[in-house]
């Protein structure tokens, strides 16, 4: 077992996933002058019943990964195996069947719901696309059941989205995601637009639904604290790639990749006493453009440890040689030539 | 500097309403706070609690109408701003106090170079020549550590990254060395690594210039990192006010406590998160008594009828809860 895979049989297996958007110039005669390398070689697995968190700063390719997983975009290269079958090669009926099983919950509960549709129509819409999932006469009852499951009054079916608060709208989005009884839910920043007290309500709901419906989650967020709370394993993305992946304690308490270490050290911790104990790693500069990814290690332009080798050689996402023969928490996949442990999050005190 | 007779800024019982077609929104309902020179006051609260409106009233940039200050006083360096003429207030804005907004891109003028926007402050307020003002602009850009400032002074806002634009906003606010800076969610739109750069810069400059800083945020982590004092707002009121350490150790208001318990921690793998039940009130129909009572796990009959004043918890702390003693004592069992 390497750390990019987990023990149980994977429900999703992503290998070498790439999505490049062509960058063109000219209106009449479009000429490709480059590519936005939004996703540039991503590997991970998701075990049944597990939550894999994906973190990273804006623009690193998280949403693109989500769209690829849900078949809303076609990859440029790579494969996505759902229970062993590569879904990127499917079309027609077979594709439709797989789509039922992988559903997305979007970030913005304000813009992702059609304002002119009733809540009942929004939640029931997946049944129009997949009529085999629920007989027509049964739909209203199912929608009401879903409202109940996510903690909303089933009597609300005829209301419109604007009559709900942000947190309630996110519940509607989740109910819609559950309509087809999927096995995998890909949630792209599902609580980022919500206030903290409401955020907690939605996170707790997702926790409960996971065990109730035996769901596997890919949970995408830029908030590292939330991701730790909900995830079993965590992958850290930078410029279109996962640079470090492992169990939550491996990543948070024993990070070995400099980017993960910097990211964690920058998160403000709501405890004024922890502030003195913490070492902040302040990265210089900005993330490079995904149209122009640095050679070798893509993090090297901001890495305080970068050396000549980092310019020439792409570090692979694997357990670094120094930790390969150890069995401790540092022995997880990290794409760095000079990986070493550094504790940046103060140890738990309570 | 703290004037002989008081703080740098003293807001007393401020009230702001918005009169709209749907009714009157009571956005600010008797807010009082003070900021001293060199001090950082964090104003914390969920969206809609009246943080920005309070700041806009202090700056004199309230959206009027529909907004209107209906009561209270705002004393800045001893003068009541609400009695001053607009021209006088404009002079104070910029030279006396300045504001940093969340969204730098919409706060900066997109068709004027950043150098000209920075320089204009000196031309208008200090009567400098354009050439000298440009030199000042470069100096300021260097102060906020924008790389290659001299080359970039002619660039437009959209040519900078989000973090760099927020530095330019800070430079604008600092230009005339005001005594007070109000930063309204200055890093909310930024990624954590950039957020850390910008907050560090702001804190450093504040120390250096010995400015008063009001930091408006909904992020309890950011507050813990930089603030001296916290004022927690709920439904247009300050429900708790305390030195930062005290509040994190032992909140004296059930709302503050609920907020603290509902955030996941980076250093702790939690189980069930505490969630405050229900939603913040509609500001057109604020519940009678304690406005938090429909959501409060400690509410009793008196809470539904009697509005709690800001009780003095200690010389430096206040809580608008009838049962603040219980809240302080009862550290562990908050029922869900
Ligand atoms: N349809 C598209 N065409 C061109 N570039 C795109 C498209 N979608 C996303 N991108 C670019 O791909 C990169 C990754 O975007 P995204 O996956 O949305 O990142 P994240 O969700 O991590 O913020 C960004 O630089 C973005 O501008
Ligand atoms: N321009 C406006 N017109 C009408 N109502 C407003 C306006 N600005 C603010 N409000 C009211 O004031 C309340 C508090 O707003 P604000 O101070 O912006 O909250 P926050 O704490 O999120 O900064 C809002 O919920 C809204 O009801
Ligand atoms: S491979 Fe080199 S540049 Fe990349 S993270 Fe490791 S030390 Fe830094
Ligand atoms: S006054 Fe009553 S309702 Fe208000 S916070 Fe205190 S206990 Fe809760
Ligand atoms: Mg995204
Ligand atoms: Mg605001």
């Amino acid at each position: 077992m390497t750390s990019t895979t987990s023990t149980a049989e994977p429900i999703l297996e992503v290998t070498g996933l790439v999505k490049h958007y062509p960058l063109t110039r000219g209106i009449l005669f479009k000429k490709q002058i480059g590519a936005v390398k939004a996703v540039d070689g991503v590997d991970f697995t998701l075990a049944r019943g597990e939550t894999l968190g994906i973190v990273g700063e804006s623009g690193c390719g998280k949403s693109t990964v989500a769209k690829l997983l849900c078949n809303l975009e076609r990859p440029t290269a790579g494969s996505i195996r759902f229970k062993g079958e590569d879904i990127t090669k499917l079309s027609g009926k077979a594709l439709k069947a797989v789509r039922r099983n992988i559903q997305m919950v979007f970030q913005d509960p304000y813009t992702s719901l059609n304002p002119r549709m009733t809540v009942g129509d929004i939640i029931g819409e997946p049944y129009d696309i997949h009529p085999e999932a629920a007989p027509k006469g049964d739909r209203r009852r199912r929608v009401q059941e879903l409202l109940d499951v996510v903690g909303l009054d089933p009597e609300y079916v005829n209301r419109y989205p604007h009559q709900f608060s942000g947190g309630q709208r996110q519940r509607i989005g989740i109910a819609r995601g559950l309509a087809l009884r999927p096995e995998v839910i890909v949630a792209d920043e599902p609580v980022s637009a919500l206030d903290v007290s409401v955020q907690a309500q939605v996170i707790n709901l997702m926790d409960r639904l996971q065990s109730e419906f035996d769901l596997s989650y890919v949970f995408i967020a830029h908030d590292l604290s939330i991701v730790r709370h909900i995830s079993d394993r965590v992958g850290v993305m930078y410029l279109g790639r996962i640079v470090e992946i492992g169990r939550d304690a491996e990543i948070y308490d024993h990070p070995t990749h400099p980017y993960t270490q910097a990211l964690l050290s920058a998160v403000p911790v709501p405890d004024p006493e922890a502030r003195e104990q913490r070492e902040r790693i302040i990265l210089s500069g900005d993330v490079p453009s995904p149209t122009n990814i640095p050679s070798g290690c893509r993090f090297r332009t901001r890495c305080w440890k970068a050396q000549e080798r980092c310019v020439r050689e792409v570090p692979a996402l694997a357990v670094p040689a120094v930790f390969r023969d150890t069995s401790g928490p540092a022995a997880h996949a990290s794409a760095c030539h000079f990986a070493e442990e550094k504790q940046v999050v103060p140890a738990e005190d309570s | 500097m703290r004037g002989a007779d008081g703080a740098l800024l003293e807001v007393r019982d401020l009230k702001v309403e918005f009169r709209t077609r749907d009714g009157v929104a009571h956005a600010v309902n008797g807010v009082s706070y003070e900021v001293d020179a060199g001090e950082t006051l964090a104003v914390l609260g969920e969206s809609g609690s009246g943080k920005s409106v309070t700041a806009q009233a202090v700056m004199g940039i309230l959206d009027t109408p529909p907004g209107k200050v209906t009561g209270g006083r705002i004393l800045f360096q001893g003068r009541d701003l609400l009695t001053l003429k607009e021209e006088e207030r404009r002079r104070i804005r910029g030279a006396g106090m300045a504001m940093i907004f969340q969204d730098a891109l919409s706060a900066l003028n997109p068709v004027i170079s950043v150098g000209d926007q920075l320089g204009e402050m000196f031309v208008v307020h200090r009567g400098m020549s354009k050439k000298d003002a440009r030199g000042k602009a470069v100096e300021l850009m260097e102060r906020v550590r924008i790389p290659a400032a001299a080359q970039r002074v002619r660039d437009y806002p959209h040519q900078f990254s989000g973090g760099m634009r927020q530095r330019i906003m800070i430079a604008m606010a600092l230009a005339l060395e005001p005594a007070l800076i109000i930063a309204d969610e200055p890093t909310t739109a930024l990624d954590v690594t950039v957020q850390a750069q910008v907050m560090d810069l702001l804190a450093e400059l504040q120390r250096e210039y010995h400015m008063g800083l009001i930091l408006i945020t909904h992020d309890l982590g950011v507050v813990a990192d930089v603030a001296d004092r916290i004022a927690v707002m709920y439904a247009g009121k300050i429900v708790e006010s305390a030195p930062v350490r005290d509040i994190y150790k032992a909140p004296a208001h059930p709302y503050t406590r609920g907020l603290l318990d509902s955030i996941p921690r980076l250093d702790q793998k939690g189980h069930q998160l505490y969630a405050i039940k229900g939603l913040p009130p509609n500001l057109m129909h604020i519940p009678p008594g304690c406005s938090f009572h429909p959501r409060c796990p400690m509410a009793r009959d008196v809470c539904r009828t009697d509005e709690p004043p800001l009780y003095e918890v200690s010389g430096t702390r206040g809580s608008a809860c009838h049962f603040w003693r219980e809240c302080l004592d009862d550290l562990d069992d908050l029922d869900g």
Side-chain angles (χ1 to χ4, degrees), chain B residues 179-258:
Chain B
L180 175 71
I181 289 210
I182 303 179
D184 192 353
E185 310 262 6
T187 59
T188 304
L190 305 176
D191 278 313
V192 281
T193 60
V194 183
Q195 191 177 337
Q197 295 169 356
V198 171
M199 274 321 303
D200 279 16
L201 174 71
L202 193 58
E204 179 195 313
L205 293 169
Q206 184 222 3
R207 270 194 305 277
E208 191 180 319
Y209 291 93
H210 202 57
M211 296 177 295
L213 175 65
I214 298 178
L215 177 69
I216 297 173
T217 178
H218 64 271
D219 187 328
L220 285 141
V222 170
V223 171
D225 267 5
V226 299
D228 299 308
R229 298 180 52 77
I230 302 191
V232 181
M233 281 191 79
Y234 187 78
K237 276 209 173 124
I238 288 176
V239 294
E240 179 162 11
S241 155
V244 70
R245 273 166 195 275
D246 295 356
I247 241 172
Y248 285 85
K249 257 208 191 97
H253 194 284
Y255 177 63
T256 316
R257 206 161 135 192

Side-chain angles (χ1 to χ4, degrees), chain B residues 269-333:
Chain B
K269 176 92 182 161
H271 302 285
Q272 179 91 347
L273 288 175
Y274 174 75
I276 301 175
K277 66 181 181 197
L279 300 168
N282 178 338
L283 296 174
M284 299 197 186
H285 308 284
I286 295 179
C290 172
S291 57
F292 186 56
H293 84 249
R295 309 178 71 190
C296 181
M298 282 172 50
R300 358 227 140 128
D301 286 344
V302 61
C303 306
R304 285 175 263 276
T305 51
D306 294 14
E307 189 180 328
L310 194 72
Y311 293 103
E312 192 174 311
V313 172
S314 75
T316 53
R317 294 190 72 168
S319 164
C321 171
H322 295 305
F323 303 103
W324 62 266
R325 262 178 234 279
E326 257 172 67
C327 186
L328 263 186
D329 291 345
D330 184 34
L331 275 174
D332 298 311
D333 59 343

Side-chain angles (χ1 to χ4, degrees), chain A residues 23-333:
Chain A
L23 202 61
T24 56
R25 183 173 290 156
I27 298 160
L28 220 47
F29 302 101
K30 285 214 170 88
K31 203 175 102 197
Q32 187 171 344
I33 54 167
V36 180
K37 297 178 175 172
V39 174
D40 201 30
V42 160
D43 305 282
F44 64 80
T45 60
L46 177 71
R48 182 181 292 283
E50 175 185 59
T51 299
L52 172 71
I54 295 183
V55 291
E57 296 180 282
S58 54
C60 70
K62 303 182 295 297
S63 295
T64 307
V65 167
K67 286 182 213 150
L68 292 167
L69 294 178
C70 296
N71 252 296
L72 301 174
E73 297 259 17
R74 286 269 173 185
T76 309
S79 66
I80 301 169
R81 290 183 190 283
F82 174 72
K83 296 188 191 167
E85 184 176 34
D86 186 355
I87 62 172
T88 64
K89 302 284 190 301
L90 300 178
S91 58
K93 261 213 174 94
L95 176 60
K96 221 172 145 185
V98 168
R99 270 194 174 153
R100 265 186 69 172
N101 274 313
I102 308 174
Q103 290 288 310
M104 181 130 154
V105 172
F106 295 91
Q107 165 172 13
D108 192 342
Y110 296 90
T111 58
S112 60
L113 305 180
N114 185 335
R116 282 182 243 289
M117 282 166 71
T118 65
V119 163
D121 290 339
I122 289 170
I123 298 174
E125 197 185 22
Y127 298 136
D128 295 339
I129 307 160
H130 299 272
E132 73 286 1
K136 258 220 145 71
D138 198 29
R139 286 192 194 168
R140 190 182 163 86
R141 190 188 59 79
R142 290 223 185 175
V143 166
Q144 290 191 314
E145 219 176 87
L146 284 164
L147 279 169
D148 187 50
V149 158
V150 299
L152 291 173
D153 187 339
E155 298 304 309
Y156 289 169
V157 278
N158 294 321
R159 295 200 183 179
Y160 290 89
H162 76 264
Q163 294 173 283
F164 295 90
S165 69
Q168 289 173 321
R169 284 186 227 207
Q170 198 51 286
R171 287 173 194 264
I172 295 166
I174 292 171
R176 186 183 195 278
L178 289 175
L180 298 171
R181 288 298 176 95
E183 294 177 66
V184 176
I185 293 234
V186 179
D188 188 8
E189 310 253 10
V191 296
S192 305
L194 306 177
D195 270 316
V196 281
S197 72
V198 182
Q199 218 170 49
Q201 296 172 0
V202 174
I203 295 275
N204 288 342
L205 171 69
M206 288 189 68
D207 252 342
R208 175 168 66 75
L209 295 175
Q210 180 163 39
S211 35
E212 212 169 306
F213 296 98
D214 192 24
L215 294 165
S216 311
Y217 286 154
V218 175
F219 189 99
I220 294 170
H222 64 267
D223 184 321
L224 287 112
S225 310
I226 290 176
V227 166
R228 173 159 209 185
H229 179 84
I230 197 156
S231 306
D232 303 303
R233 285 188 310 127
V234 177
V236 180
M237 272 187 89
Y238 186 79
L239 260 187
R241 272 212 189 172
I242 290 180
V243 296
E244 184 165 6
I245 189 166
R247 303 202 60 81
D248 84 276
E250 292 173 337
I251 299 299
Y252 285 79
D253 300 333
H254 305 274
T256 67
H257 196 285
Y259 178 62
T260 309
Q261 291 165 352
L263 202 58
L264 286 170
S265 85
V267 177
V269 167
D271 177 357
E273 272 163 20
R275 120 173 93 167
E276 280 106 46
Q277 307 167 19
R278 293 179 80 206
E279 182 200 345
R280 284 284 198 83
I281 303 162
I282 304 279
L283 289 179
S284 56
D286 291 319
V287 184
S289 159
T291 57
N292 190 11
I293 291 177
S295 67
C297 173
R298 56 194 60 216
F299 181 58
R300 69 174 163 82
T301 54
R302 301 175 79 200
C303 183
W304 68 96
K305 285 164 62 176
Q307 298 180 32
E308 176 55 27
R309 184 177 170 198
C310 310
V311 181
R312 285 181 283 107
E313 215 179 300
V314 177
L317 181 63
V319 180
V322 276
F323 302 120
R324 213 160 284 159
D325 297 324
T326 66
S327 57
H332 60 267

